[in-house]
Amino acid sequence: MDVIPEIRRLHFVEHVTISDLAKQFKLSRPTIRKHLKTVEEPVYPTRQHQPYLKLGAFIEQLRTWLETDATLPGKKCKRTAQRLYECLQAEGYVGGYSAVQRYVKAWKASRSASPSIKQAFVPLLFPAGVVVNFFRTHK
């Protein structure tokens, strides 16, 4: 949305006050003043890789738990990210829950990228010229 050009147009062309602009756009007056000084919208850099600073020493333990839980049969047997976080705290982890949650989400996404045995496709085509008769009875 082009908020900054609209704010600049309303203020400089239609002479709308800063207080009225703040009410109209639901922004603070200092923010409106900042936008009046800028010409184009700011570009904020995005991080491509999220570092796990406090989780770093516990990643192997967490990965082991996740791989163990992945082999369990039912959904109720598997630990949630909250339960994994509590187990890590018992091991001495002092970081936050959100780092554990992000790691678990990324781990699950990386596992779902490769097809599992249930997702594999087995073609039911036979080579040309081969006759397969499944219904023939032997006497």
Side-chain angles (χ1 to χ4, degrees):
M1 188 161 125
D2 298 324
V3 175
I4 296 176
E6 183 66 17
I7 290 173
R8 292 176 58 81
R9 185 188 66 77
L10 287 172
H11 183 70
F12 293 121
V13 176
E14 297 184 14
H15 304 291
V16 179
T17 64
I18 292 175
S19 297
D20 291 338
L21 287 171
K23 289 176 189 173
Q24 181 179 347
F25 289 99
K26 296 181 182 169
L27 297 171
S28 66
R29 290 176 304 182
T31 304
I32 296 293
R33 284 190 199 98
K34 179 181 78 170
H35 288 330
L36 289 174
K37 293 177 185 175
T38 60
V39 177
E40 53 191 43
E41 296 210 25
V43 178
Y44 299 107
T46 57
R47 267 193 284 193
Q48 297 299 324
H49 174 68
Q50 176 69 36
Y52 300 106
L53 300 178
K54 292 184 180 178
L55 188 62
F58 298 93
I59 284 183
E60 280 303 316
Q61 179 67 45
L62 186 57
R63 186 178 298 133
T64 305
W65 287 342
L66 287 168
E67 289 170 357
T68 304
D69 286 355
T71 61
L72 296 176
K75 190 172 183 179
K76 289 192 173 191
C77 298
K78 298 176 183 176
R79 291 178 270 197
T80 62
Q82 178 66 40
R83 183 70 182 125
L84 289 168
Y85 170 66
E86 291 168 0
C87 292
L88 281 177
Q89 281 184 320
E91 296 286 324
Y93 175 67
V94 293
Y97 168 67
S98 63
V100 175
Q101 189 179 23
R102 279 193 313 266
Y103 183 80
V104 170
K105 185 176 180 180
W107 185 84
K108 287 181 180 180
S110 70
R111 282 189 46 98
S112 67
S114 61
S116 67
I117 295 172
K118 293 179 182 178
Q119 297 172 337
F121 175 72
V122 179
L124 295 176
L125 295 175
F126 300 100
V130 176
V131 177
V132 179
N133 190 353
F134 292 109
F135 301 107
R136 184 175 17 164
T137 58
H138 294 74
K139 293 184 181 183

